[in-house]
Amino acid sequence: MLRRVLTYLTQTLRGFVFSSTMLVAVLAFSGAALSATLLYEHLLDRQARETFAQIAHQASLAVQGALHEKDGHREAGQLLATFRQVFPQNLDAIRIQAVDDETAQQLESEGVLVEQRGEMLRYTYPLSHSEKCRGCHRQAAGERPFGAVVVDYARPRLADQSRLHYIALFIGLGALALLTSLAVSLSSTRKIRRSLDLLATRVEEVNSIRDVERLQLHDVDFGFRELNETFTHVSQLVQRLKGVAVDRDILEFEISLLEKLIITTNVVKDWRAFIKNLLVEINQIVDAYALVTIFKIDEEAYECEVFWRYPPSATTQRLFEAVLRRRLEETPFMAEAIFLPIVHNLADENGSIELDEREIELQTKSLVLETPRIGGIAGIGLQTTLLASDNVRKMVIGSILTAMLNLVGSVKAIYKYTKDLEHYATRDPLTGLYNQRMFWELLASEEKRVHRGEESFALVVIDLDNFKRVNDGYGHHVGDTFLQRVAETLKKAVREADQLARYGGDEFCVILPLADEAEAHGVARRIADALDAFLFDLPNGVSLKATASIGIAVYPQHGKTPKDIFLIADNMMYKAKRSGKNAIAAPDDDELAEAFRKQAEKMAMIQRAVDQKRIVPYFQPICVVGDGKVEIHELLMRIDIDGRIVPAGEFIAEAERMGLVHEMDYQLIEKAFVRVREENYRGMLFINLSPKSLIIGEFVGKVRQLAELHGIEPGQIVFEITERETVSNLAVLETFVLELKEQGFCFAIDDFGSGYSSFHYIKHFPVDFIKIEGEFVRNIVDDEVYRAFVKSIATLARELKMRTIAEFVENREILVELQAFGIDYAQGYYLGRPRTALHPAGTHLPGESA
């Protein structure tokens, strides 16, 4: 309780004024009361002394006179009695007494002796003697007094009584002062409190920069001139700080925009949704009703889109379009441009916008570029109330527009690149047909569909005859155009439900749903006839013809798995070539037996290699694009069969079907780690993992133990996953990757762009490296489509903070192009072939840098 009272008196304005006033009043009244009491008592005492001194003197004279009379002693006695009756309260005693020599000597020298004994005053007056006195008093001789009149005076108690009266008086006056102080403090603090409450209410209403701009303080009156003058200076300071505060928040908003430049795959799904969210976030700081984007879509055409915070009225939309078009037409380098119809988008439907032409003109700022930037962004505009204020804010909005332009352009670019990548993940960039990865998915899907019933499907494999002559004789550009025309011819020859794919190079595949061998022959014949009629006319007048060797296989007659069906159809295609080309071949029983015999031999070879630990590690260098420095090696698997080195392409698919690939991976990694330790290699090592290895629960633990055993840091190891192979084990893969990252290992996606699920991986997994599909890299020098494709992947990886590796770098021209695209690393025969030894980390391969 006492603490609350002290807090109130010392930390509140009202309590402080009250306590201060009371303290001053108490001190003043106490001082006055004490001074007045002391002065009064002093005056009273002095007056009493003077009065009694006179009484004592008169008494002594009267006694002296009475003693000189005839009956002097009796007269003196009666006189003394009379004095006692007249002054009963003051005269404590009055008598005549003899004195000793010392007292007589003092009386003789001083005349009167005055003594104070406590509250008693004693006056001693000398008795002079006469001849009469000597008759009775023989000691009265000479001039020395022989006796004295002694008067004892008791000081009156008037001072005590007056003191009590003064105290009572000052208590009453003090109470009056207390009430007066309370009234004064209440009155003065009420004025100040009322003004402070008004100020507090207005300050509490400030929740944003817009509220600060509306804050008014000029009408706050504290009731005292000095306080009002002080607060006027504070108000002036607040007015000056308004601009600073707004500018600071706008700059903070600009920083938040820069933070948004870290774009993830969530953004590229829908760039318009991103812009809508951006507009909503802008409105958390300033009132912005519309955001405009301008993109160049071809040489002369531009598309313009307006993103509205809330639905605009029809009049507002019409006026806004008119102002926007007028401004664009007034831009010199856009005077001849063609603009598509303006598209309007809504960020939030719960509201409305009504603007007049003047508000649109004054509150809209735009930034238009003569040369479009990334993503084709050519301009951006923002309609905001902030532009109606001072020029400083307009300049800040200009800088914000620059940041937003880069941001929106990047988002649109990544969106476009991602759409292109998603398209080409399933499509061949040159012909527009399904690519090899998609072909295998379609083939597996068809096998599952047919397996559930009692139906069949057929596979046709087509390989053009003598296509190499076209490429070698007329160049890759003519060869690519030739393949495009062939693809168009094939699409016309197959049935509507058939699935046509370009398997690679000049090889095509057609999946024929619900087809038997006879129907497959019919489709193959139509294809052969269409190619017989095919002519490709060159500008020099030469006409090129096309023929093909075609192989056929039917499920389940010729095989029980997609791999088996493809193996048979591929063998039949080579049979057709051996028979003289431009032919169609289907398997008979002997040919089926021969194909499966070869497969059995391959399976036996793989089993023997595993049992006898004939897995051999090979290492291919991966170099920094630009200086050729070796920082990485890719670990490749080979089998040593009686001195013959068998590449992985000849056995890895069969090893997966046999369920042995995880054991082969383990042997490979163990031998590679031994080599890394022996050669003291400190660079990074890329390890390809088969999906079969991923489902082996102890595999990761074994790899970690091997790394620890051989002193290899987890950060040196990069596990490389081919997205086509792992798509069916996505959940297992995710668990595997996260476990690897937690242990410090790195993660890469191989053959990026060859399948749609590549983009799913970079969204869900912590990817460190992207290895670009080799087919795209091999053709970037001569093919604009492949160039655009590789460039798009490089841009996407750069935005997502992932490093890129280009495979199949076979000449210097490709390396130069990769450097121009900003690719980080390169791998291929031009830089170094696989070998059993490791290049020391940091080695520069001679003559192989761009």
Side-chain angles (χ1 to χ4, degrees):
M1 182 64 183
L2 179 59
R3 181 178 298 177
R4 287 184 179 180
V5 173
L6 291 175
T7 301
Y8 174 78
L9 294 178
T10 57
Q11 297 184 11
T12 64
L13 179 62
R14 180 174 296 174
F16 179 75
V17 171
F18 174 73
S19 59
S20 300
T21 306
M22 281 303 304
L23 180 61
V24 172
V26 169
L27 291 176
F29 278 105
S30 298
L34 179 62
S35 300
T37 302
L38 293 176
L39 179 61
Y40 178 76
E41 290 181 356
H42 175 71
L43 292 175
L44 189 63
D45 184 62
R46 188 175 67 177
Q47 184 177 6
R49 284 173 180 262
E50 291 176 353
T51 300
F52 185 73
Q54 292 177 1
I55 294 172
H57 182 66
Q58 293 298 326
S60 68
L61 291 178
V63 171
Q64 284 264 45
L67 289 174
H68 288 190
E69 295 296 331
K70 180 179 179 180
D71 193 3
H73 283 280
R74 185 176 62 81
E75 291 291 336
Q78 291 178 349
L79 186 59
L80 290 174
T82 301
F83 271 103
R84 291 190 189 97
Q85 293 176 354
V86 174
F87 304 102
Q89 295 180 347
N90 301 103
L91 287 178
D92 187 61
I94 182 167
R95 62 189 179 278
I96 300 172
Q97 66 180 32
V99 295
D100 54 20
D101 291 340
E102 183 179 357
T103 303
Q105 188 177 0
Q106 291 178 347
L107 290 171
E108 183 179 10
S109 61
E110 297 179 14
V112 179
L113 296 179
V114 181
E115 298 176 81
Q116 182 170 351
R117 298 180 179 180
E119 296 295 325
M120 183 70 71
L121 286 176
R122 173 171 289 179
Y123 291 85
T124 304
Y125 292 91
L127 284 177
S128 60
H129 52 83
S130 62
E131 288 298 327
K132 183 178 180 180
C133 294
R134 292 189 183 97
C136 296
H137 303 281
R138 294 186 178 91
Q139 71 272 26
E143 298 298 327
R144 176 176 294 180
F146 68 93
V149 177
V150 179
V151 181
D152 289 334
Y153 168 65
R155 295 175 65 184
R157 297 285 181 178
L158 295 176
D160 294 337
Q161 296 174 1
S162 63
R163 188 181 299 118
L164 293 174
H165 290 302
Y166 271 111
I167 291 174
L169 175 63
F170 280 106
I171 288 175
L173 293 176
L176 181 60
L178 175 64
L179 295 175
T180 304
S181 299
L182 181 60
V184 170
S185 66
L186 289 175
S187 176
S188 59
T189 57
R190 183 179 294 109
K191 294 180 181 179
I192 299 174
R193 184 73 262 173
R194 185 167 52 249
S195 300
L196 289 176
D197 289 342
L198 176 61
L199 177 62
T201 299
R202 293 183 178 178
V203 171
E204 288 175 356
E205 292 174 351
V206 176
N207 296 309
S208 65
I209 299 306
R210 296 188 295 272
D211 296 333
V212 174
E213 294 176 345
R214 292 193 291 265
L215 181 63
Q216 298 295 332
L217 302 176
H218 63 275
D219 58 343
V220 178
D221 182 11
F222 288 95
F224 297 94
R225 185 179 64 185
E226 292 80 1
L227 288 177
N228 286 337
E229 290 177 353
T230 301
F231 190 72
T232 298
H233 295 304
V234 174
S235 300
Q236 293 172 352
L237 177 62
V238 170
Q239 292 298 324
R240 294 173 184 173
L241 289 177
K242 281 182 181 180
V244 177
V246 171
D247 291 344
R248 182 200 67 188
D249 279 299
I250 292 177
L251 292 176
E252 288 178 352
F253 170 64
E254 187 173 9
I255 292 173
S256 69
L257 283 178
L258 295 177
E259 292 175 350
K260 288 182 175 295
L261 292 176
I262 304 175
I263 301 172
T264 66
T265 52
N266 290 326
V267 172
V268 301
K269 289 181 178 179
D270 188 347
W271 74 276
R272 291 182 177 85
F274 176 82
I275 303 302
K276 293 175 184 177
N277 292 333
L278 181 63
L279 181 58
V280 172
E281 291 185 12
I282 293 174
N283 275 269
Q284 295 176 1
I285 298 177
V286 296
D287 286 326
Y289 298 123
L291 192 153
V292 181
T293 62
I294 304 170
F295 289 94
K296 189 173 184 179
I297 56 177
D298 57 32
E299 290 300 323
E300 297 295 335
Y302 291 82
E303 64 178 8
C304 182
E305 298 199 26
V306 181
F307 295 82
W308 293 95
R309 177 70 176 91
Y310 298 115
S313 66
T315 301
T316 299
Q317 181 171 318
R318 177 177 52 78
L319 291 174
F320 196 90
E321 287 190 8
V323 171
L324 181 59
R325 290 187 182 278
R326 182 169 65 251
R327 289 194 179 186
L328 292 175
E329 291 170 358
E330 292 171 355
T331 304
F333 51 84
M334 283 192 170
E336 303 298 326
I338 300 173
F339 287 92
L340 300 180
I342 297 175
V343 177
H344 295 269
N345 305 274
L346 293 179
D348 188 351
E349 296 184 357
N350 299 318
S352 61
I353 296 176
E354 186 71 46
L355 300 172
D356 57 33
E357 186 172 3
R358 183 176 179 278
E359 289 175 323
I360 296 173
E361 286 281 3
L362 295 178
Q363 299 178 7
T364 304
K365 185 173 180 61
S366 58
L367 175 63
V368 182
L369 305 177
E370 184 172 2
T371 302
R373 294 185 183 176
I374 184 172
I377 184 74
I380 195 167
L382 185 67
Q383 198 285 336
T384 172
T385 56
L386 198 63
L387 291 169
S389 53
D390 57 74
N391 292 327
V392 175
R393 290 172 174 80
K394 293 180 181 179
M395 293 175 59
V396 173
I397 288 295
S399 65
I400 288 178
L401 285 178
T402 302
M404 288 176 58
L405 182 136
N406 293 327
L407 173 64
V408 173
S410 297
V411 170
K412 181 67 178 292
I414 299 301
Y415 175 80
K416 179 179 181 299
Y417 293 152
T418 302
K419 289 299 181 183
D420 291 343
L421 292 175
E422 288 177 351
H423 173 75
Y424 291 119
T426 60
R427 297 283 178 171
D428 172 55
L430 180 64
T431 63
L433 303 178
Y434 290 123
N435 60 18
Q436 182 183 135
R437 306 305 185 191
M438 193 61 186
F439 161 74
W440 282 109
E441 291 185 16
L442 292 172
L443 188 61
S445 176
E446 184 66 15
E447 187 272 332
K448 290 179 181 178
R449 186 188 66 80
V450 173
H451 184 72
R452 290 192 295 265
E454 297 181 356
E455 301 171 341
S456 64
F457 72 89
L459 176 63
V460 175
V461 175
I462 307 163
D463 189 86
L464 298 182
D465 299 327
N466 305 317
F467 175 71
K468 187 175 184 299
R469 295 179 184 176
V470 177
N471 264 341
D472 294 344
Y474 302 98
H476 286 285
H477 180 69
V478 172
D480 288 345
T481 307
F482 184 84
L483 288 176
Q484 289 173 340
R485 293 285 186 86
V486 167
E488 293 173 1
T489 302
L490 294 177
K491 282 191 285 187
K492 295 176 181 178
V494 299
R495 302 174 304 178
E496 185 176 352
D498 296 338
Q499 297 166 333
L500 176 62
R502 182 189 177 200
Y503 193 80
D506 60 346
E507 188 172 0
F508 299 85
C509 296
V510 187
I511 301 173
L512 309 176
L514 302 176
D516 55 20
E517 187 172 347
E519 291 173 309
H521 266 285
V523 173
R525 176 47 56 194
R526 285 202 303 274
I527 292 174
D529 292 343
L531 291 177
D532 281 340
F534 175 83
L535 284 177
F536 179 58
D537 296 326
L538 298 179
N540 61 3
V542 176
S543 296
L544 302 177
K545 290 183 63 64
T547 62
S549 299
I550 302 174
I552 297 173
V554 179
Y555 177 93
Q557 179 181 342
H558 298 144
K560 303 299 184 181
T561 68
K563 294 286 187 181
D564 291 341
I565 292 298
F566 180 79
L567 173 67
I568 298 302
D570 195 52
N571 283 338
M572 292 303 99
M573 180 269 294
Y574 282 108
K575 175 185 174 182
K577 282 191 177 295
R578 289 192 300 269
S579 67
K581 301 181 181 180
N582 192 19
I584 301 171
D588 55 28
D589 293 340
D590 292 338
E591 289 167 333
L592 285 175
E594 176 64 17
F596 288 123
R597 183 186 63 78
K598 291 180 179 180
Q599 184 179 12
E601 290 178 353
K602 183 181 295 185
M603 293 172 62
M605 176 195 71
I606 295 171
Q607 186 66 58
R608 186 168 66 255
V610 172
D611 294 340
Q612 298 176 4
K613 298 186 182 301
R614 291 181 174 272
I615 307 301
V616 181
Y618 269 60
F619 305 93
Q620 185 174 20
I622 299 176
C623 307
V624 176
V625 173
D627 61 8
K629 183 171 66 175
V630 178
E631 292 187 355
I632 307 169
H633 283 81
E634 180 176 0
L635 176 60
L636 302 173
M637 183 185 295
R638 300 289 187 265
I639 292 178
D640 184 353
I641 300 296
D642 301 327
R644 184 175 74 90
I645 301 300
V646 182
E650 294 187 18
F651 61 81
I652 196 68
E654 192 62 41
E656 286 182 357
R657 285 196 293 269
M658 294 173 65
L660 295 176
V661 74
H662 65 279
E663 178 63 26
M664 300 173 74
D665 282 338
Y666 187 77
Q667 290 186 24
L668 176 71
I669 293 172
E670 184 176 23
K671 291 183 177 182
F673 283 5
V674 170
R675 187 68 53 80
V676 168
R677 183 192 62 194
E678 291 175 347
E679 299 187 18
N680 195 28
Y681 174 69
R682 293 300 175 188
M684 302 185 79
L685 186 67
F686 275 51
I687 300 175
N688 287 280
L689 288 184
S690 163
K692 297 295 184 181
S693 298
L694 302 183
I695 62 175
I696 304 300
E698 69 274 10
F699 183 79
V700 174
K702 287 183 178 180
V703 172
R704 183 178 64 250
Q705 292 173 4
L706 284 175
E708 293 175 354
L709 177 64
H710 296 286
I712 300 174
E713 295 294 329
Q716 290 181 257
I717 307 302
V718 181
F719 290 104
E720 187 175 334
I721 309 300
T722 300
E723 62 86 17
R724 175 183 60 85
E725 296 175 338
T726 58
V727 67
S728 61
N729 293 318
L730 195 57
V732 177
L733 176 62
E734 184 172 2
T735 302
F736 171 74
V737 171
L738 294 177
E739 186 174 352
L740 283 178
K741 293 299 291 185
E742 289 176 358
Q743 296 171 14
F745 295 97
C746 297
F747 178 62
I749 297 178
D750 194 13
D751 298 333
F752 184 81
S754 61
Y756 178 80
S757 49
S758 298
F759 309 100
H760 191 82
Y761 292 166
I762 63 174
K763 174 179 172 59
H764 289 91
F765 302 151
V767 178
D768 300 290
F769 294 89
I770 288 177
K771 295 190 73 175
I772 303 173
E773 166 69 35
E775 185 179 354
F776 305 150
V777 176
R778 180 191 290 131
N779 296 287
I780 61 172
V781 175
D782 301 315
D783 193 291
E784 290 295 329
V785 175
Y786 283 118
R787 283 172 55 85
F789 200 42
V790 174
K791 186 176 181 180
S792 297
I793 295 176
T795 302
L796 178 64
R798 192 160 47 248
E799 293 290 345
L800 299 179
K801 311 302 181 187
M802 300 173 186
R803 286 170 285 181
T804 48
I805 301 174
E807 301 178 291
F808 288 26
V809 179
E810 298 175 348
N811 54 57
R812 181 176 177 79
E813 289 74 17
I814 293 176
L815 195 61
V816 171
E817 291 290 341
L818 296 176
Q819 186 175 14
F821 291 162
I823 300 297
D824 299 304
Y825 298 95
Q827 176 184 6
Y829 284 176
Y830 176 71
L831 299 170
R833 291 177 177 271
R835 65 178 196 172
T836 57
L838 289 154
H839 294 274
T843 300
H844 290 265
L845 297 183
E848 296 174 342
S849 68

